[in-house]
Amino acid sequence: MSTSAIVQFGTSRFLQAHADLFISEAIAEGQDVGPITVVQTSGDASRAHRLKALADPSGYEVRIKGIDNGTLVDTSKTVSSIKRALSLPEDLAEVAKAVAGEARIILSNTADAGYRPSEADKSTDFSIDMSYPAKLTWFLFQRFGMGGAPVQVMPAELIPENGNVLKGLVLSIAALYPPEFADWLRSNVTWVNSLVDRIVSEPLDPAGAVAEPYALWAIEKQPGLILPCVHPCVQVVEDLEQVETLKLFILNLGHTYLVSRWLAAGGSSLQFVRELIDSPDYGPDLTDLYRREVIPAFEAHGRKNEAEAYAATTIDRFKNPFLDHKLADIAQNHGEKIDRRISSFLSWARKADASLQMPRLDAVAAGAEAASA
């Protein structure tokens, strides 16, 4: 087996408790997947101890803490899927060799800033100041130059149609390179759309994380797709939009609705989502909102059963006694979130049934419109 069947750009605690954990469990079951080479793309020397710990042969710890089907979960798992940890720019040649000759899958989970265009993106000379899409373009060009075999690119950033978005950015930057390279990118790279979902609440030192029991890696089906592993939390779906609507219009909508009420009350002394859910002033109201206003919309789309199940799971996730999910954090960019999570839901719901009555959600949307007027 190759030493880096998967090259992972990014050392986030999310991936440590998500994809890296799933692949580790698959390897332990005897699946011929992985292992992973992790690449730190930021050049931040202060994270060297974490990078070294990620590839420790003894593995690192992920603590799973929360509520699953009404049962309290508090367990620990060891992740040992990462066999090599590299850092840019120090290990540039080794990373280039891994991407060009060894990788079957390229995985990423970079910060929002990693996608911002940079002046360095205008050059074909590698720079640590490049955006992630520009770095990826440079590495893929090395693979192209060596006559590299086809490869699969799987971004895990929370961007709708993330594979298509990354493909577009890479193709735009590839205009700096010989034209044959763009043809190779289109014909030899499989760009995968996926949606990841797991709340990872805090890091462990030097590596590892604390995460909730719920986890999902939904991968959109397409010709030539290679699964990173077979795992209960990895689902191949025909249409990613089906998964996105559940997350956006139940979990995210619930967060924004709770925060709207919390802000309207002047921002009480309660600080965390779990505190609101446990409060008689908020928890029962959200449960009733799901039952009377949200579930009927999914029913109108022929999706009642899956919405009921997801809503029940969401309430369990919100109740997680180990998770300090700050209301003030959710309240950031509140107007934009109302538009994306609540106003869009109202439009989506009434496309299926114009007669649906959703007074509480209508009130939140109307209040946001009035505030912005």
Side-chain angles (χ1 to χ4, degrees), residues 337-348 365-366 368-369:
K337 290 177 180 177
I338 288 176
D339 183 60
R340 187 167 63 250
R341 300 172 177 184
I342 294 180
S343 298
S344 294
F345 169 76
L346 292 168
S347 298
W348 176 80
E369 290 178 4

Side-chain angles (χ1 to χ4, degrees), residues 279-298:
S279 166
D281 294 328
Y282 292 92
D285 180 52
L286 180 64
T287 300
D288 189 65
L289 179 87
Y290 283 155
R291 182 172 65 88
R292 292 179 182 270
E293 300 190 23
V294 175
I295 302 300
F298 279 89

Side-chain angles (χ1 to χ4, degrees), residues 300-367:
H301 282 270
R303 300 173 60 192
K304 179 182 179 181
N305 291 341
E306 62 178 310
E308 286 180 333
Y310 190 86
T313 299
T314 296
I315 293 294
D316 276 352
R317 296 173 72 185
F318 287 176
K319 287 180 177 180
N320 189 338
F322 303 107
L323 185 63
D324 290 344
H325 200 171
K326 292 183 179 179
L327 298 163
D329 290 344
I330 299 171
Q332 294 178 13
N333 304 309
H334 185 56
E336 295 175 10
K337 290 177 180 177
I338 288 176
D339 183 60
R340 187 167 63 250
R341 300 172 177 184
I342 294 180
S343 298
S344 294
F345 169 76
L346 292 168
S347 298
W348 176 80
R350 286 172 174 145
K351 282 181 181 178
D353 184 350
S355 68
L356 287 173
Q357 300 299 306
M358 297 174 281
R360 284 169 287 189
L361 293 175
D362 279 330
V364 171

